[in-house]
């Protein structure tokens, strides 16, 4: 507990510094962490410490990933989860790579029109709030499969730190206390005043959270594997919550859920090999499209966040997100034209009308008119061990605290991932993303994601592990993080800290981080006709870079409590 207390003091000091320095464009608030024998970067210092300790105890990167996923479910309940889903991309020390899809699925009773009223209009919030927004969770099955295939230490040892944190308690960080307070009304609306996280907005920094019900659920998973979650008392607790609120998930959904090993999306950017997530994530395809398009321009010559670089990234993003909306969905249900979307001739034609000094209008690419409604949360962590096994996992409940429904008897939130489907073609979801038939609701289908856990190789060796939360902005944040290192020579910490922009075709505007752009560049972009909209943050990256001498360099985003811990 002493170590935990010390960590929390450091954390409070760091988060105070970070809020004061918001105007400083997040740059140079932290130094990159370097170590030779392992690196872990996650959204929470306690989860990073869990992962680093597993590495110190002789576990590999994949063991650490399992431990971190469960630890985040305790200490970072807004996105860490056992009742959500996610994606893992890994590369073993021998160069073999793969990806695991533990994304949620539509329930068996889901229907194409389930979020529409009798006039075929979308019913506001039905797909994003309450139990009807919940997809069949995949995280527990995913972690068990990951451990079975790639783990080296006993599963019981990996989940135990999460049990200890839930049972013995941990202190709230300033950021997490604030986030809980921000969502009090939603907790009350989705549950009632007796649920653990409803506290009438009085959560305090440093306050101790103890979750005995979650500890018990984690013990069931420890002792019974997937059955500890998908059957018995945990399943009954979830189904009790779901059915008392007219939800449609049944035991048959839990029994049928299986995560899937998939061949990653792979392709070249200059001398780098990019390994990323295939459908049902749009991340890998969109990232490669952006990087391949970037090869047509000299980004390093224009400079980081210059007028030209932001304009060109925007024009590339506009076209890539239009493709995303039209062609991408779960490839188990829809024939996603992956080869065509990544074909060199297709891409050079697709980007051939981009001009350095002229903005395109998104309506000239395809019509539409949408708003981005809610801010979002998800979480990403990156790990490299002493043998350079590497893994990046992005995992989520979708919105902060998911559906806001808390399964009181089992101690966790249910996801609201159904909102990532296209409830009606052309109508935006909570991220303002539009979709088409490719992402329509079908029972047992997985909803399209933007999560982009990614590994880069350089000259056949491991180079970077990277990923981010942020809904629609995940792909563009990962893209810029790669450019920051490869084109602008930043170190891992500078790259994650650097101010980012985002464009997603519709709405036709550039999001930028408040105080993050040079005011002259901002004015020039506006003069070109770009509509500019400030945001508090774009992306929240946790990444690891392998330096030429083999040293591991961790970068943990100063937009949150993110922490990189090296193993020496
Ligand atoms: N729920 C966010 C995503 O999967 O992209």
């Amino acid at each position: 507990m002493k170590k935990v207390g010390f960590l929390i003091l450091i954390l409070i000091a760091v988060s105070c510094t970070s809020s004061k320095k918001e105007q400083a464009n997040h740059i140079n608030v932290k130094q990159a962490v370097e170590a030779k024998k392992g690196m872990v970067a996650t959204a929470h210092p306690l989860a990073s410490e869990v992962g680093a300790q597993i590495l110190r105890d002789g576990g590999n990167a994949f063991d650490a990933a399992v431990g971190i996923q469960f630890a985040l479910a305790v200490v970072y309940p807004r996105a860490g989860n056992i009742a959500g889903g996610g994606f893992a991309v890994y590369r073993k020390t021998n160069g073999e790579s793969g990806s695991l899809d533990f994304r949620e699925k539509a329930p068996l009773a889901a229907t194409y029109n389930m979020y529409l009223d009798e006039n075929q209009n979308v019913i506001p919030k039905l797909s994003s709030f309450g139990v009807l927004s919940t997809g069949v969770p995949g995280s527990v099955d995913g972690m068990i499969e990951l451990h079975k295939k790639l783990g080296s230490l006993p599963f019981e040892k990996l989940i135990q730190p999460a049990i200890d944190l839930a049972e013995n308690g941990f202190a709230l960080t300033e950021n997490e206390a604030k986030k809980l307070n921000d969502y009090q009304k939603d907790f009350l609306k989705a549950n009632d005043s007796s649920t653990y996280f409803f506290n009438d907005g009085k959560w305090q920094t440093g306050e101790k959270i103890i979750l005995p019900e979650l500890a018990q659920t984690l013990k069931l998973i420890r002792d019974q594997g997937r059955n500890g979650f998908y059957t018995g008392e945990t399943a009954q607790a979830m189904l009790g919550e779901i059915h008392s609120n007219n939800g449609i998930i049944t035991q048959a959904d839990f029994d049928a859920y299986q995560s899937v090993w998939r061949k990653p999306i792979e392709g070249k950017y200059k001398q780098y090999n990019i390994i990323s997530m295939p459908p049902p994530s749009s991340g890998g395809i969109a990232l490669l499209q952006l990087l391949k398009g970037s090869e047509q321009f000299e980004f390093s010559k224009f400079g980081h966040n210059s007028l030209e670089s932001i304009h060109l990234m925007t024009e590339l993003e506009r076209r890539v997100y239009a493709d995303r909306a039209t062609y991408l969905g779960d490839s188990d249900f829809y024939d996603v034209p992956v080869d065509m979307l990544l074909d060199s001739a297709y891409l050079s034609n697709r980007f051939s009308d981009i001009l350095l000094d002229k903005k395109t209008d998104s309506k000239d690419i395809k019509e539409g008119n949408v708003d981005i409604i809610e801010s979002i949360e998800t979480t990403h962590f990156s790990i490299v061990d002493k043998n350079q096994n590497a893994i990046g996992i992005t995992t989520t409940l979708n919105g902060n605290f998911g559906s806001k429904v808390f399964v009181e008897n089992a101690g966790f939130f249910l996801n609201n991932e159904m909102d990532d489907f296209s409830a009606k073609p052309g109508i935006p979801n909570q991220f303002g993303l539009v979709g088409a038939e490719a992402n329509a609701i079908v029972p047992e289908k997985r909803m399209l994601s933007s999560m982009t856990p990614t590994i880069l190789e350089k000259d056949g060796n491991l180079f970077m592990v990277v990923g981010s939360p942020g809904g629609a902005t995940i792909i563009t944040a990962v893209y810029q993080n790669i450019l920051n290192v490869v084109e602008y020579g930043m170190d891992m910490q500078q790259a994650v800290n650097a101010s980012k922009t985002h464009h997603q075709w519709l709405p036709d505007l550039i999001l930028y981080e408040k105080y993050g752009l040079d005011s002259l560049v901002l004015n020039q972009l506006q003069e070109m006709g770009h509509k500019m909209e400030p945001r508090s943050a774009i992306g929240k990256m946790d990444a690891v870079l392998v330096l030429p001498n083999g040293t591991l360099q961790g970068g943990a985003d100063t937009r949150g409590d993110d922490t990189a811990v090296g193993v020496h």
Side-chain angles (χ1 to χ4, degrees):
M1 285 308 287
K2 258 191 188 156
K3 197 182 267 173
V4 171
F6 178 64
L7 271 169
I8 285 160
L9 278 179
I10 294 181
L11 174 62
I12 291 166
V14 168
S15 46
C16 292
T17 318
S18 131
S19 53
K20 276 197 201 116
K21 294 198 177 170
E22 191 191 2
Q23 293 91 330
N25 187 15
H26 309 286
I27 290 177
N28 293 333
V29 179
K30 270 188 203 170
Q31 297 293 314
V33 173
E34 294 190 357
K36 285 274 188 201
K37 296 194 176 153
M39 186 62 65
V40 170
T42 86
H44 198 288
L46 294 174
S48 295
E49 184 49 37
V50 165
Q53 191 56 46
I54 289 171
L55 296 183
R56 286 183 208 112
D57 290 346
N60 62 24
F62 316 119
D63 292 320
V66 172
I68 289 169
Q69 174 81 30
F70 287 112
L72 285 170
V74 180
V75 299
Y76 197 64
R78 63 162 136 152
N81 67 83
I82 53 175
F87 300 111
V89 172
Y90 71 87
R91 181 185 186 276
K92 286 168 56 173
T93 187
N94 63 6
E96 179 191 318
S97 60
S99 75
L100 178 63
D101 167 359
F102 54 99
R103 180 72 159 165
E104 299 91 328
K105 296 176 88 168
L108 290 157
T111 58
Y112 185 90
N113 286 340
M114 63 187 280
Y115 301 116
L116 305 185
D117 65 17
E118 60 280 11
N119 299 318
Q120 303 303 298
N121 294 320
V122 174
I123 303 168
K125 294 237 167 200
L126 200 58
S127 64
S128 62
F129 188 87
V131 292
L132 255 194
S133 68
T134 301
V136 183
S139 292
V140 172
D141 187 75
M143 288 307 104
I144 285 164
E145 287 306 311
L146 180 65
H147 175 257
K148 220 189 288 176
K149 185 175 169 113
L150 298 168
S152 68
L153 296 181
F155 183 77
E156 303 76 54
K157 189 170 165 56
L158 308 178
I159 198 171
Q160 193 59 41
I163 296 171
D164 295 343
L165 283 163
E167 206 155 50
N168 303 329
F170 61 95
L172 272 183
T173 67
E174 183 186 359
N175 283 328
E176 294 316 303
K178 179 174 181 322
K179 201 53 81 178
L180 282 171
N181 288 335
D182 286 349
Y183 282 86
Q184 293 292 294
K185 276 196 194 130
D186 282 345
F187 294 161
L188 193 56
K189 200 167 155 204
N191 305 280
D192 58 46
S193 59
S194 66
T195 49
Y196 183 83
F197 284 109
F198 183 75
N199 188 17
D200 219 7
K202 297 194 184 90
W203 291 106
Q204 304 282 334
T205 306
E207 191 163 351
K208 194 167 178 180
I209 300 282
I210 302 181
L211 296 161
E213 292 82 8
L214 181 54
Q216 173 59 18
T217 301
L218 293 169
K219 284 180 193 170
L220 289 170
I221 297 168
R222 177 193 64 192
D223 299 339
Q224 300 173 24
R226 62 163 279 146
N227 285 347
F229 181 78
Y230 292 102
T231 67
E233 45 187 281
T234 313
Q236 276 160 27
M238 285 191 278
L239 292 174
E241 220 35 85
I242 288 166
H243 294 158
S244 62
N245 292 292
N246 301 321
I248 57 172
I249 293 177
T250 65
Q251 183 61 48
D253 286 301
F254 292 151
D255 294 343
Y257 186 85
Q258 281 188 323
S259 38
V260 187
W261 292 99
R262 298 191 189 275
K263 188 174 173 304
I265 290 288
E266 235 178 293
K268 292 263 181 272
Y269 172 62
K270 298 190 170 171
Q271 76 265 50
Y272 300 89
N273 189 45
I274 315 293
I275 306 166
S276 192
M277 199 63 215
S281 181
S282 59
I285 291 174
L287 177 66
L288 261 178
Q289 286 189 311
L290 288 169
L291 288 170
K292 283 182 173 292
S294 302
E295 283 182 334
Q296 300 180 14
F297 306 99
E298 284 189 77
F299 275 92
S300 57
K301 192 181 94 189
F302 295 129
H304 176 249
N305 278 356
S306 61
L307 169 68
E308 294 87 350
S309 67
I310 294 176
H311 167 70
L312 290 172
M313 285 194 302
T314 298
E315 294 304 323
L316 292 165
E317 289 165 5
R318 187 191 310 284
R319 288 155 178 80
V320 166
Y321 275 76
D323 279 1
R324 179 195 188 281
T326 310
Y327 296 115
L328 293 186
D330 182 352
S331 51
D332 290 345
F333 285 75
Y334 182 86
D335 200 7
V336 178
V338 179
D339 292 342
M340 182 206 83
L341 289 168
L342 296 179
D343 179 76
S344 303
Y346 169 76
L347 288 173
S348 86
N349 184 46
R350 182 81 175 116
F351 301 132
S352 61
D353 58 344
I354 295 179
L355 299 173
L356 188 54
D357 56 357
K358 190 168 183 312
K359 170 193 183 289
T360 325
D361 280 342
S362 284
K363 71 174 167 41
D364 294 339
I365 292 183
K366 198 172 172 180
E367 285 188 354
N369 181 26
V370 296
D371 289 324
I372 296 176
I373 300 160
E374 199 196 316
S375 74
I376 36 61
E377 203 39 275
T378 287
T379 191
H380 173 86
F381 49 95
S382 297
I383 309 166
V384 180
D385 67 24
K386 64 176 190 283
N387 296 319
Q388 298 208 351
N389 291 299
I391 185 163
I393 289 188
T394 314
T395 180
T396 190
L397 289 165
N398 196 15
N400 277 313
F401 308 103
S403 63
K404 318 315 185 241
V405 175
F406 188 67
V407 184
E408 185 78 3
N409 293 337
F412 55 84
F413 286 97
L414 296 175
N415 71 78
N416 64 338
E417 216 70 58
M418 291 295 283
D419 190 59
D420 273 348
F421 278 116
S422 171
K424 182 177 176 180
I427 302 295
N429 71 358
Q430 67 175 4
F431 307 133
L433 288 167
V434 289
E437 266 328 292
N439 190 30
I441 302 170
V442 177
E444 292 205 273
K445 189 176 173 183
R446 289 172 157 96
M447 52 296 281
L448 184 62
S449 173
S450 298
M451 293 192 279
T452 316
T454 298
I455 291 178
L456 271 70
E457 294 172 334
K458 185 180 180 186
D459 305 326
N461 298 315
L462 179 67
F463 181 68
M464 190 194 293
V465 187
V466 60
S468 178
T473 66
I474 292 174
I475 300 162
T476 50
V478 171
Y479 165 51
Q480 287 164 88
N481 199 71
I482 293 172
L483 293 186
N484 287 349
V485 173
V486 168
E487 298 295 336
Y488 306 124
M490 295 186 195
D491 75 18
M492 199 73 268
Q493 189 60 46
Q494 291 166 333
V496 302
N497 282 352
S499 173
K500 302 195 169 62
T501 59
H502 170 77
H503 193 287
Q504 61 182 49
W505 173 49
L506 296 173
D508 188 357
L509 50 82
I510 300 177
L511 302 182
Y512 70 98
E513 293 184 282
K514 209 170 173 184
Y515 312 116
L517 287 188
D518 182 291
S519 54
L520 181 64
V521 170
L522 188 60
N523 288 340
Q524 288 171 326
L525 285 162
Q526 280 166 332
E527 278 163 19
M528 278 182 87
H530 291 290
K531 192 169 166 211
M532 306 296 294
E533 193 171 297
R535 284 284 147 134
S536 57
I538 294 175
K540 191 158 83 67
M541 328 272 306
D542 289 304
V544 181
L545 189 65
V546 184
L547 301 181
N549 68 0
T551 300
L552 305 174
Q553 190 178 68
D557 209 309
T558 48
R559 292 163 181 82
D561 300 326
D562 304 53
T563 306
V565 177
V567 177
H568 299 278

